[in-house]
Amino acid sequence: MSRVSLTFGLTFLLLLSIQFNSFAQVRNCISQDLHEENMLNPDYAKAFNEKVQKAYTYKLGDEKVLCPNPVLIPIAVHFQGITNPDLNCLRALAQNQIDILNNDTQGSNADISNWINNDSQNFPGVNYSETCLEFCIANQSHPSGYGLINGDPAVTVNQTTGSFDSEWSGYLNVWVRNIGALGFSPLGGDGDGDGVTIDVEAFGSGAGCNGVVPDPPYDLGRTLTHEVGHYLLLNHIWGSGCSVDDGIADTPDQASSNSGCPSSTASSCGSLDLHMN
């Protein structure tokens, strides 16, 4: 799959990336902090508000339907600060992570049954849906200077820094490095060399590779699903109290985030929390 010029942030999705575990350890997504800082820039705020207005012209269907021709979104994965990297292992881990992302956004993740058989009865009128997107690690038309030829996956190791590189415009970039938090993303990406950033302990699943080892309870690959949701203009479903809304009509207000494995009847703001979203 080659890279293409894409404008992101025009679709609201229902991402049911349900992670059930018994751990109480909490690490945060810091996308909201980043967004609030960016909104202090008038140019950024103007562009963001225009994205939101465009997004409201799109609607979800009422139920899950098959999507035979999904929009292909090219991914490039950039590992940073890795000591003694194993390229083949990192490429396999990157593919593992993108497979998880596709399962989540297409509603085909194995644990979607927890929603169908249990939680959905508490939220009548809320249906899981396929987003009609397919994410693919690009394998041709790469930028020069990275040692990649046609047929190679767009995976770099210790060749980029930070969370932006204009040479990688046209991709949804995934920057993997030690950041302390779980991850972050612009709220509505531009495809101009930006992307999402994931901590080395929250990327992919399984045993991982040297320098990139998924750490329980964040070892199921769901952090990227969460951050790509932000990249596609999805806000957190909770706010600072009950007066902050995520802009999605069928999401109940929720006072704050949940962690660990909350009860399916956890509630705030006078209604059940849709924390499994």
Side-chain angles (χ1 to χ4, degrees), residues 37-153:
E37 181 179 345
N38 287 336
M39 287 295 283
L40 297 176
N41 181 322
D43 292 336
Y44 178 93
K46 180 176 183 293
F48 173 76
N49 289 330
E50 289 174 352
K51 290 177 188 177
V52 171
Q53 291 305 311
K54 289 180 181 179
Y56 276 114
T57 67
Y58 289 76
K59 294 182 179 179
L60 284 173
D62 291 331
E63 58 187 39
K64 187 179 189 299
V65 295
L66 295 178
C67 179
N69 298 301
V71 175
L72 297 177
I73 296 183
I75 296 277
V77 179
H78 308 283
F79 296 99
Q80 301 175 352
I82 308 300
T83 303
N84 299 322
D86 181 333
L87 179 59
N88 289 332
C89 181
L90 291 171
R91 285 178 171 178
L93 184 62
Q95 187 59 58
N96 160 264
Q97 174 63 90
I98 301 309
D99 290 342
I100 294 170
L101 175 63
N102 276 320
N103 287 337
D104 280 348
T105 57
Q106 294 170 6
S108 57
N109 46 302
D111 52 5
I112 197 69
S113 60
N114 289 313
W115 168 263
I116 296 170
N117 298 328
N118 300 310
D119 295 320
S120 61
Q121 63 185 338
N122 294 322
F123 299 93
V126 177
N127 300 292
Y128 80 106
S129 62
E130 183 175 3
T131 63
C132 209
L133 299 175
E134 182 173 351
F135 300 90
C136 176
I137 299 177
N139 61 12
Q140 54 185 305
S141 303
H142 305 305
S144 61
Y146 293 87
L148 297 173
I149 62 175
N150 280 347
D152 287 341

Side-chain angles (χ1 to χ4, degrees), residues 152-212:
D152 287 341
V155 175
T156 71
V157 183
N158 300 336
Q159 293 180 283
T160 66
T161 58
S163 299
F164 183 89
D165 190 329
S166 60
E167 292 190 10
W168 290 91
S169 63
Y171 299 80
L172 196 172
N173 294 287
V174 180
W175 319 95
V176 185
R177 66 177 187 273
N178 186 354
I179 59 172
L182 287 175
F184 60 87
S185 169
L187 187 57
D190 292 315
D192 59 354
D194 62 0
V196 304
T197 302
I198 306 295
D199 190 77
V200 292
E201 294 184 350
F203 182 83
S205 67
C209 307
N210 188 44
V212 187

